[in-house]
Amino acid sequence: MKKIFLLLFLLLPILGCENGNNLTFEPIELHGKNCAECPKINIDIPRALDELAVSTSINRALEEEIISLLSFDEEKSINTMQEAMASFTKSYNDLRLKFPDETVGWEAEILGKVIYEDNTLLTIELNSYTFTGGAHGYSSSTLLNFDKVKGSELENWELFEDYEGFQKFAETQFRIQEDVPQDENINATGFMFEKDTFHLAENIGYTKNGVQLIYNQYEVASYADGPIVLNLPYSEINQYLKRKVEL
């Protein structure tokens, strides 16, 4: 019996290292009312469970993003996802009462997942689709980065040791990927960068294979062009990053 306990004691450090310093998450699913005259609302996101500052930052950031996506009442203070869902539903019902013969069903689908985590940094991708009438709905992806040590959400510029160097490298790779000649205006082939000047995407995040830039629809191109995703491998960009990734 003593040998068994000794063996278990020796195995504990090994078993405990399988997940390293990864945070613990549970899935949270929220759904709107299931009725013929109700908008379709489905939310599936991770909730951080560890009693750490970064967990609070993650959960708050995700809630704020969802509130922003679903809230239509600018005069009312909305503080929770449930209140945001109620706001989305109320806005739909108000419109349906005004235009009963013209209003089509509204939809909101939001899916979040952890796409990268190491000892100091974590990235969550939040994909959403909303339809509130019109010719088509709108899809978008949001990348949220968190400093696990400081317990805070990171701004894009905080990811880089050499922001300007990274931007120049990203522009070169963007031009190659999108067939924009290196010596011509960045908008020469139809892009819509402001002031004819390349800029990094609003959404930048770490992935398993490299840093990803997501230009959502309308950000630098038309809706018909869809989102533009640029993936840059760590082997080529580590020199620009504040947090290097081991290759």
Side-chain angles (χ1 to χ4, degrees), residues 78-97:
I78 297 175
N79 301 306
T80 68
M81 291 184 287
Q82 289 79 3
E83 290 177 358
M85 293 169 65
S87 173
F88 189 83
T89 301
K90 181 180 182 300
S91 296
Y92 168 71
N93 287 329
D94 289 346
L95 186 66
R96 189 168 58 85
L97 288 173

Side-chain angles (χ1 to χ4, degrees), residues 8-236:
L8 289 173
F9 178 78
L10 293 173
L11 284 174
L12 280 175
I14 299 174
L15 295 173
C17 289
E18 285 187 355
N19 291 325
N21 294 319
N22 286 3
L23 300 180
T24 305
F25 290 89
E26 68 173 0
I28 295 295
E29 294 186 13
L30 299 173
H31 305 284
K33 293 181 180 179
N34 185 16
C35 68
E37 298 178 347
C38 298
K40 180 182 177 182
I41 306 174
N42 291 310
I43 299 171
D44 185 353
I45 60 171
R47 180 184 295 277
L49 298 178
D50 303 272
E51 294 183 1
L52 299 169
V54 68
S55 297
T56 301
S57 295
I58 290 169
N59 295 335
R60 181 175 61 245
L62 286 171
E63 189 159 53
E64 288 175 352
E65 290 291 335
I66 290 171
I67 289 172
S68 176
L69 286 166
L70 298 182
S71 301
F72 283 77
D73 190 347
E74 297 181 357
E75 297 180 357
K76 183 178 180 180
S77 177
I78 297 175
N79 301 306
T80 68
M81 291 184 287
Q82 289 79 3
E83 290 177 358
M85 293 169 65
S87 173
F88 189 83
T89 301
K90 181 180 182 300
S91 296
Y92 168 71
N93 287 329
D94 289 346
L95 186 66
R96 189 168 58 85
L97 288 173
K98 290 182 180 179
F99 308 101
D101 298 326
E102 300 178 17
T103 305
V104 295
W106 284 15
E107 294 182 40
E109 298 274 350
I110 303 171
L111 174 64
K113 60 182 178 180
V114 177
I115 61 171
Y116 179 85
E117 183 175 9
D118 60 25
N119 290 338
T120 63
L121 185 139
L122 180 142
T123 301
I124 291 178
E125 181 179 39
L126 193 67
N127 293 310
S128 67
Y129 170 79
T130 55
F131 178 77
T132 55
H136 50 69
Y138 179 70
S139 298
S140 67
S141 296
T142 302
L143 297 176
L144 305 171
N145 302 287
F146 300 90
D147 186 322
K148 293 171 62 177
V149 178
K150 294 181 179 179
S152 58
E153 185 177 357
L154 293 166
E155 299 290 340
N156 285 343
W157 63 268
E158 294 180 282
L159 299 175
F160 304 103
E161 187 173 79
D162 181 0
Y163 185 89
E164 291 185 2
F166 179 81
Q167 181 167 275
K168 290 179 181 178
F169 178 81
E171 178 175 0
T172 298
Q173 299 307 308
F174 181 95
R175 287 174 176 272
I176 292 172
Q177 175 178 295
E178 301 299 325
D179 294 323
V180 181
Q182 298 290 340
D183 58 349
E184 292 190 18
N185 187 298
I186 189 64
N187 292 331
T189 60
F191 285 105
M192 300 182 293
F193 284 91
E194 289 187 12
K195 299 180 181 180
D196 294 327
T197 302
F198 176 85
H199 60 75
L200 298 179
E202 292 180 7
N203 290 283
I204 304 173
Y206 277 51
T207 71
K208 291 181 179 179
N209 299 316
V211 167
Q212 185 175 83
L213 286 72
I214 302 177
Y215 293 89
N216 283 310
Q217 292 162 313
Y218 298 123
E219 191 172 340
V220 296
S222 68
Y223 176 87
D225 290 320
I228 298 170
V229 179
L230 183 65
N231 293 298
L232 304 174
Y234 293 118
S235 59
E236 299 179 10

